[in-house]
């Protein structure tokens, strides 16, 4: 069977081998360029007395040198592309072995006031985001984070189909990522969009034809002077000064435009290549087709439009060459011509740029999701249903745990049911809560889940598992807990949520905690809420006798030969074996 790991190992070899071959070609072309330079120099020196022959040798040498330089640039680009592909596959091998903790943790997206992101290790070291993220541009990274935090329950099947299709296109996904990774983007897309929308043009309409007319006049004057129709060579000098004078009237504003465009040049070059890959790929899923159509234009492809701007930006950048700037502006008004092209591009396309950037960010994020599905063929896409069962999963496990050591559990919980989970310390309660929470988040995003089989009736998630005090807000731990619980109560009045709680009201005494926890769970059940609460308070389990919608489950611990053993399996009932006193004694604390 061709596993993902096998695929990556094969392609590391393929791309590394190709990169090495291309590097050898680069070395050969470099040596040939040096040889051409030496031979041309020698030829000009030997034939210096015969200027016609020396000029011919010089022209031929320059042409051959330019050809070799062009070939070298092309081969270098291909070599860098193959090296980037080899690095992508090498990184996948490392991540599969568990080596991913040095990657971006996504802490900038962490939000303690979010429905669940702080509680379920969505971001941070060893987090789900750090494990799956393969985005290559900042906007794509933010899109991925927003998808994980969106809590959206509409159009899940559309997202599933898009992710399934991308999972079958590992070559295209890697080429997209490699293309994106080869350009360093200085300016975020959001800043570029703001600049384009607020840009005020400064060139009059006459610039549509004046540079061309001036260029034709330059050619005519030069020709007449060369053929001695005009006797005064000074006319060329006056014409040069006239061109510099015309350009000089707009020099300050051209400098500002050039400074701004220099920051976005790399972004547009990169995005043109990415749009080209999106346009030329055949997609069958509805969501991917929608995104593909979003960048289509009536007359030109979006990639072509981006390339037009990229060429204009490169042309304007040539003004940094002093000799080229003097003669280009003095004889051909090049700065005015290129600036006018850029202004007209902005005028025509500024309203579409946001759409194009959004599509690129979408595919960057969805490449990550498709890659996750490809990397975990044993995971299943939940069957999306609309019935009384919220989650019905066989062998449900945590997706970040080693499958060789992971212990999975079956779970079935219906709408408006509430589970109370008890268990000894370290028996697996908190891991189970995060497993269930991640199932909901992954299913809502459209990802496959870590289970043998799963049916799922979409529901939004809300949690309270990691409340902290705040010195900044001058709030105690207990007050922070109450604030979070109030947040949950208010939220479930607006829409149905799946509620996950871990040992609530830890900031008060045990008697008060037992009374408060019981009343809170009773309120949630009365509100027709669905969810799970983990607790050490066995008195809370008495609610099962009074309310049909409440069920007790537990994780067990056993002491065998004076050693603590866990089976990490979810069982129906109430835990009878607690281990705090045993651990205190075992570790010589008491």
């Amino acid at each position: 069977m061709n596993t993902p790991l096998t695929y990556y190992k094969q392609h590391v070899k393929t791309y590394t081998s190709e990169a090495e071959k291309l590097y050898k070609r680069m070395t050969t072309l470099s040596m040939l360029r040096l040889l051409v330079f030496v031979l041309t120099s020698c030829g000009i020196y030997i034939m210096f007395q015969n200027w016609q022959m020396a000029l011919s040798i010089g022209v031929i040498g320059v042409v051959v040198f330019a050809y070799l330089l062009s070939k070298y640039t092309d081969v270098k680009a291909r070599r860098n592309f193959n090296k980037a592909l080899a690095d992508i596959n090498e990184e996948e091998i490392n991540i599969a072995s568990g080596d991913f903790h040095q990657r971006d943790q996504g802490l900038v997206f962490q939000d303690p006031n979010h429905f669940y992101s702080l509680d379920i290790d969505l971001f941070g070291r060893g987090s789900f985001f750090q494990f799956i993220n393969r985005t290559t541009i900042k906007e794509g990274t933010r899109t991925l984070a927003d998808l994980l935090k969106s809590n959206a329950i509409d159009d899940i099947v559309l997202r599933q189909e898009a992710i399934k299709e991308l999972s079958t296109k590992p070559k295209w996904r890697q080429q997209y990522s490699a293309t994106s990774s080869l350009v360093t983007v200085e300016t975020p897309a959001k800043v570029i969009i703001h600049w384009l929308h607020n840009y005020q043009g400064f060139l009059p309409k006459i610039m549509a034809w004046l540079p061309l007319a001036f260029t034709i006049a330059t050619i005519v004057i030069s020709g007449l002077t060369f053929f001695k129709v005009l006797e005064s060579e000074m006319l060329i000098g006056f014409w040069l000064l006239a061109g510099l004078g015309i350009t000089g009237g707009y020099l300050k504003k051209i400098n500002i435009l050039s400074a701004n465009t220099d920051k976005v040049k790399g972004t547009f070059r990169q995005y043109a290549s990415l749009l080209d890959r999106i346009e030329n790929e055949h997609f069958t899923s509805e969501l991917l087709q929608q995104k593909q159509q979003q960048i289509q234009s009536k007359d030109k492809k979006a990639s072509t439009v981006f390339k037009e701007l990229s060429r204009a930006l490169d042309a304007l950048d040539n003004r940094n060459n002093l000799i080229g700037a003097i003669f280009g502006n003095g004889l051909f008004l090049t700065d005015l011509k290129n600036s006018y092209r850029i202004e007209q591009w902005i005028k025509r396309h500024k309203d579409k740029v946001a759409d194009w950037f959004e599509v690129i960010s979408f595919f960057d994020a969805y490449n990550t999701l498709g890659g996750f599905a490809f990397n975990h063929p044993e995971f299943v896409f939940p069957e999306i249903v609309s019935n009384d069962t919220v989650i019905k999963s066989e062998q449900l496990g945590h997706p970040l745990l080693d499958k060789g050591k992971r212990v999975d559990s079956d779970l079935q919980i219906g709408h408006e049911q509430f589970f109370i989970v008890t268990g000894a310390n370290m028996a697996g309660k908190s891991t189970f809560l995060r497993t269930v929470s991640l199932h909901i988040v992954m299913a809502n995003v459209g990802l496959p889940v870590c289970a043998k089989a799963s049916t799922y009736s979409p529901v939004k998630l809300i949690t309270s598992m990691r409340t902290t005090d705040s010195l900044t807000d001058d709030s105690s731990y207990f007050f922070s807990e109450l604030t979070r619980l109030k947040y949950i109560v208010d939220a479930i009045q607006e829409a149905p949520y799946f509620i996950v709680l871990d040992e609530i009201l830890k900031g008060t005494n045990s008697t008060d905690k037992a009374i408060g926890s019981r009343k809170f769970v009773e309120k949630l059940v009365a509100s027709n809420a669905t969810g799970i609460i983990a607790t050490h308070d066995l008195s809370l389990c008495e609610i099962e006798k009074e309310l049909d919608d409440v069920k007790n489950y537990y994780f067990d611990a056993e002491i065998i030969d004076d050693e603590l053993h866990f089976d990490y399996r979810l069982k129906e009932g109430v835990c009878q074996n607690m281990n705090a006193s045993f651990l205190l004694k075992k570790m010589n604390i008491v």
Side-chain angles (χ1 to χ4, degrees):
M1 180 180 177
N2 191 18
T3 65
L5 193 58
T6 303
Y7 178 91
Y8 295 134
K9 289 179 178 179
Q10 290 173 345
H11 283 76
V12 163
K13 293 180 181 178
T14 300
Y15 294 129
T16 301
S17 175
E18 185 64 20
E20 289 172 352
K21 290 178 184 177
L22 291 168
Y23 182 76
K24 291 177 181 178
R25 287 188 63 186
M26 286 170 57
T27 304
T28 302
L29 288 168
S30 294
M31 296 300 294
L32 287 174
R33 277 162 46 218
L34 179 60
L35 180 62
V36 168
F37 176 79
V38 171
L39 291 176
T40 302
S41 300
C42 291
I44 292 173
Y45 178 78
I46 293 169
M47 295 295 177
F48 192 74
Q49 300 301 322
N50 186 342
W51 70 268
Q52 292 94 338
M53 183 62 72
L55 180 62
S56 299
I57 292 172
V59 170
I60 293 172
V62 169
V63 170
V64 174
F65 187 90
Y67 171 77
L68 292 174
L69 181 60
S70 175
K71 293 291 292 182
Y72 176 86
T73 303
D74 178 60
V75 172
K76 182 180 179 181
R78 288 164 52 199
R79 186 252 181 181
N80 289 342
F81 185 67
N82 278 273
K83 189 174 183 304
L85 287 168
D87 290 343
I88 287 171
N89 284 276
E90 187 68 48
E91 189 172 36
E92 290 292 350
I93 294 170
N94 292 336
I95 293 172
S97 69
D99 181 14
F100 66 91
H101 294 94
Q102 76 287 352
R103 296 170 58 80
D104 178 20
Q105 299 179 25
L107 291 176
V108 68
F109 307 115
Q110 186 69 278
D111 179 8
N113 297 316
H114 185 257
F115 295 103
Y116 50 79
S117 69
L118 183 66
D119 291 334
I120 65 172
D121 296 324
L122 199 61
F123 304 102
R125 190 175 188 277
S127 64
F128 186 67
F129 174 87
Q130 188 179 44
F131 180 65
I132 73 167
N133 179 31
R134 305 292 191 275
T135 56
T136 51
I137 56 177
K138 289 182 179 179
E139 290 73 27
T141 307
R142 178 165 292 279
T143 299
L144 175 63
D146 289 344
L147 286 169
L148 294 175
K149 293 167 63 177
S150 67
N151 226 4
I153 59 175
D154 298 324
D155 300 324
I156 293 177
V157 174
L158 283 182
R159 293 194 286 275
Q160 283 185 343
E161 293 303 317
I163 293 168
K164 286 178 184 177
E165 181 173 5
L166 286 172
S167 72
T168 66
K169 296 177 179 288
K171 183 177 180 180
W172 184 86
R173 284 188 289 100
Q174 290 191 354
Q175 288 180 343
Y176 187 93
S177 296
T179 300
S180 179
S181 67
L182 288 174
V183 179
T184 302
V185 176
E186 297 180 12
T187 308
K190 185 178 180 180
V191 175
I192 296 174
I193 293 168
H194 181 267
W195 173 67
L196 291 174
H197 276 282
N198 292 277
Y199 181 78
Q200 298 293 325
F202 60 87
L203 292 174
K205 292 183 179 179
I206 192 176
M207 293 303 168
W209 57 267
L210 181 61
L212 177 61
F214 202 88
T215 298
I216 293 172
T218 296
I219 294 171
V220 170
I221 293 172
S222 300
L224 293 175
T225 303
F226 181 81
F227 290 109
K228 299 189 182 299
V229 176
L230 295 175
E231 295 297 332
S232 177
E233 286 80 3
M234 293 295 293
L235 183 59
I236 289 289
F238 287 125
W239 191 250
L240 177 71
L241 292 174
L244 291 174
I246 295 172
T247 303
Y250 299 95
L251 184 60
K252 185 177 181 180
K253 292 184 178 179
I254 291 174
N255 286 339
I256 295 173
L257 176 64
S258 178
N260 286 325
T261 56
D262 190 56
K263 297 175 183 177
V264 304
K265 194 168 54 175
T267 302
F268 279 102
R269 186 183 298 113
Q270 176 196 49
Y271 278 30
S273 300
L274 296 177
L275 286 168
D276 187 57
R277 291 199 175 276
I278 295 169
E279 290 166 344
N280 292 311
E281 183 63 20
H282 175 69
F283 297 113
T284 58
S285 60
E286 184 179 342
L287 182 56
L288 298 184
Q289 287 181 340
Q290 287 175 3
K291 294 299 178 180
Q292 205 173 32
Q293 291 167 5
Q294 193 174 330
I295 60 174
Q296 290 179 351
S297 180
K298 293 181 180 179
D299 51 348
K300 293 181 180 178
K301 291 182 176 180
S303 59
T304 302
V305 174
F306 263 56
K307 287 174 184 175
E308 288 176 355
L309 178 63
S310 184
R311 284 193 292 268
L313 296 177
D314 287 337
L316 184 63
D317 191 49
N318 290 332
R319 68 197 303 270
N320 294 324
N321 182 309
L322 181 60
I323 295 175
I326 292 173
F327 287 98
N329 288 313
L331 299 177
F332 308 108
L333 304 183
T334 52
D335 277 4
L336 292 174
K337 179 186 71 173
N338 294 324
S339 297
Y340 186 78
R341 285 172 61 194
I342 292 170
E343 287 197 343
Q344 292 304 301
W345 190 98
I346 293 173
K347 183 179 179 180
R348 288 193 302 269
H349 303 296
K350 64 180 180 180
D351 293 330
K352 284 291 293 179
V353 170
D355 282 343
W356 294 334
F357 280 12
E358 187 272 324
V359 170
I360 289 169
S361 300
F362 168 89
F363 273 97
D364 194 38
Y366 267 73
N367 269 0
T368 282
L369 305 180
F372 179 83
F374 175 79
N375 287 339
H376 300 89
E378 74 279 12
F379 289 7
V380 297
F381 286 90
E383 179 188 354
I384 305 302
V385 297
S386 180
N387 55 33
D388 292 336
T389 300
V390 178
I391 301 174
K392 182 180 180 182
S393 291
E394 295 180 31
Q395 298 181 25
L396 176 64
H398 196 290
L400 268 63
L401 294 179
D402 184 348
K403 61 183 177 182
K405 301 177 181 178
R406 186 181 70 223
V407 178
D408 302 330
S409 298
D410 294 342
L411 172 67
Q412 181 170 347
I413 182 168
H415 280 289
E416 301 177 9
Q417 274 195 317
F418 218 90
F419 287 1
I420 298 174
V421 179
T422 53
N425 294 293
M426 303 184 298
K429 298 189 305 298
S430 295
T431 298
F432 174 71
L433 296 186
R434 290 184 175 86
T435 298
V436 176
S437 299
L438 267 180
H439 176 288
I440 294 172
V441 172
M442 293 165 68
N444 287 344
V445 170
L447 286 169
V449 297
C450 181
K452 182 179 179 181
S454 181
T455 57
Y456 172 63
S457 180
V459 64
K460 294 182 178 183
L461 174 68
I462 193 166
T463 65
S464 179
M465 300 169 68
R466 278 186 181 149
T467 307
T468 59
D469 56 355
S470 174
L471 295 176
T472 304
D473 298 331
D474 194 27
S475 61
S476 67
Y477 180 91
F478 185 61
F479 183 77
S480 295
E481 254 200 309
L482 293 179
T483 301
R484 184 66 179 180
L485 297 181
K486 178 67 164 60
Y487 175 73
I488 291 174
V489 170
D490 291 343
I492 63 176
Q493 306 304 315
E494 303 294 329
Y497 281 88
F498 192 101
I499 303 167
V500 177
L501 308 171
D502 191 6
E503 205 65 57
I504 61 171
L505 301 180
K506 293 185 286 290
T508 186
N509 65 72
S510 56
T511 303
D512 199 27
K513 170 187 171 183
I515 296 171
S517 297
R518 182 185 180 96
K519 289 183 177 180
F520 186 70
V521 172
E522 288 175 344
K523 179 177 179 61
L524 294 179
V525 174
S527 301
N528 299 323
T530 305
I532 302 174
I533 179 172
T535 182
H536 287 96
D537 182 6
L538 300 185
S539 67
L540 199 60
C541 299
E542 297 296 322
I543 302 177
E544 183 189 49
K545 300 175 182 177
E546 304 166 14
L547 300 172
D548 293 336
D549 293 327
V550 176
K551 302 293 181 185
N552 289 325
Y553 288 87
Y554 73 100
F555 287 92
D556 207 0
E558 291 183 285
I559 300 173
I560 302 175
D561 297 330
D562 202 35
E563 292 294 335
L564 199 60
H565 293 270
F566 304 102
D567 62 12
Y568 302 111
R569 297 193 180 279
L570 182 68
K571 302 166 186 172
E572 192 168 353
V574 180
C575 180
Q576 301 300 323
N577 299 323
M578 296 300 181
N579 61 1
S581 57
F582 172 82
L583 289 172
L584 287 168
K585 182 179 179 181
K586 185 73 175 175
M587 297 176 68
N588 295 320
I589 298 173
V590 296

